[in-house]
């Protein structure tokens, strides 16, 4: 299987057999339900559609609810995974156990929004001298050109909206898998706010 839909819980710490402390992010992986399967003959590619978190009947519109089989409750979160490995069918549930033999994962989520930020926070500019009288502290500096071309070029690093983007952090180390608690403990920077939805996949580059 390529991956699952999960939720970010928060951070904690674990100790190994030598007493070394490791800070980890706790990811809760509730069983994902296989909502649909796609085949090469019908759709041109192989894939499965996974769903997470039941949706109340009055919250699902008729067009949205029609894509679910009659015996499956409409799900709040849906994700399609192509080129999956393993033999599954509609109605099956896939849990955190699939990560027991995986050492590194890739996590995709929407990063935290930082609002409108200047160039020092957004791009890591050093800024000017902090001494009195310099009159240049946190500004971006000149962004224009001379007479030719006479305008600011594209892709210049400037102040603007920061964060709230779809990002993928690769090669996060799996420290512990707990099937009883349905959690995955990972070392590294997991993107997104607390309680946000994550896409957790086996690492592509190891």
């Amino acid at each position: 299987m390529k991956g699952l839909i999960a939720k970010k819980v928060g951070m904690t710490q674990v100790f190994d057999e030598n007493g070394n402390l490791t800070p980890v992010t706790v990811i809760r992986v509730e069983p994902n339900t296989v909502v649909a399967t796609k085949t090469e003959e019908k759709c041109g590619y192989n894939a499965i559609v996974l769903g997470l978190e039941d949706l109340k009947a009055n919250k699902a519109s008729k067009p949205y609810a029609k894509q679910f089989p009659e015996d499956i409750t409409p799900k709040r979160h849906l994700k399609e995974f192509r080129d999956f490995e393993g033999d599954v069918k509609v109605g099956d549930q896939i849990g955190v156990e699939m990560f027991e033999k995986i050492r590194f994962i890739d996590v995709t989520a929407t990063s935290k929004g930082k609002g409108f930020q200047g160039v020092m926070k957004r791009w890591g500019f050093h800024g000017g001298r902090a001494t009195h009288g310099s009159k240049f502290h946190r500004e971006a500096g000149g962004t224009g050109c001379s007479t030719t071309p006479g305008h600011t070029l594209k892709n210049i690093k400037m102040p603007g909206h920061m964060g709230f983007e779809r990002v993928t952090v690769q090669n996060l180390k799996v420290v512990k898998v707990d099937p009883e608690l349905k959690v995955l403990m990972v070392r590294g920077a997991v993107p997104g706010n607390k309680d946000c939805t994550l896409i957790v996949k086996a690492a592509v580059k190891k």
Side-chain angles (χ1 to χ4, degrees):
M1 190 65 63
K2 288 292 184 181
L4 293 176
I5 310 171
K7 291 275 188 178
K8 182 177 179 179
V9 176
M11 290 197 67
T12 184
Q13 54 193 23
V14 296
F15 292 89
D16 60 14
E17 59 276 3
N18 298 322
N20 298 319
L21 184 146
T22 303
V24 294
T25 300
V26 180
I27 300 175
R28 185 169 181 82
V29 186
E30 293 285 351
N32 286 208
T33 304
V34 180
V35 175
T37 59
K38 299 186 178 182
T39 60
E40 185 110 20
E41 297 77 21
K42 187 175 180 180
C43 303
Y45 61 93
N46 294 318
I48 63 170
V49 180
L50 297 180
L52 179 68
E53 193 176 336
D54 291 343
L55 199 60
K56 292 183 179 179
N58 60 346
K59 295 293 183 180
S61 63
K62 286 185 178 180
Y64 185 78
K66 282 292 184 181
Q67 64 182 315
F68 296 90
E70 294 182 358
D71 56 341
I72 295 180
T73 306
K75 305 297 181 183
R76 183 180 302 276
H77 307 288
L78 291 177
K79 176 64 178 176
E80 179 181 289
F81 294 90
R82 294 196 179 193
D83 301 324
F84 61 94
E85 299 173 2
D87 186 16
V88 295
K89 59 182 183 298
V90 175
D92 288 351
Q93 289 194 332
I94 308 169
V96 71
E97 297 82 9
M98 66 166 285
F99 292 107
E100 287 184 340
K101 296 182 180 180
I102 295 176
R103 295 184 58 200
F104 295 92
I105 60 173
D106 297 340
V107 179
T108 302
T110 301
S111 62
K112 293 181 180 180
K114 306 293 184 181
F116 190 95
Q117 297 297 334
V119 292
M120 291 184 69
K121 183 177 179 70
R122 191 183 186 199
W123 301 110
F125 282 20
H126 289 277
R129 295 172 60 183
T131 52
H132 178 70
S134 73
K135 298 183 180 179
F136 178 74
H137 302 294
R138 300 183 65 88
E139 288 84 354
T143 60
C145 302
S146 7
T147 306
T148 304
H151 62 84
T152 301
L153 299 176
K154 289 184 178 181
N155 302 319
I156 296 294
K157 293 180 178 178
M158 299 180 71
H161 186 270
M162 180 180 177
F164 203 68
E165 298 176 330
R166 198 67 171 168
V167 297
T168 298
V169 179
Q170 295 181 310
N171 293 330
L172 299 177
K173 185 178 181 180
V174 177
V175 177
K176 185 178 180 181
V177 178
D178 194 330
E180 293 185 4
L181 297 177
K182 302 175 184 177
V183 297
L184 192 64
M185 297 185 184
V186 177
R187 178 170 186 173
V190 176
N193 294 305
K194 183 180 177 181
D195 296 328
C196 75
T197 304
L198 309 173
I199 303 299
V200 183
K201 298 181 179 181
V204 178
K205 299 178 181 179
K206 300 179 182 179

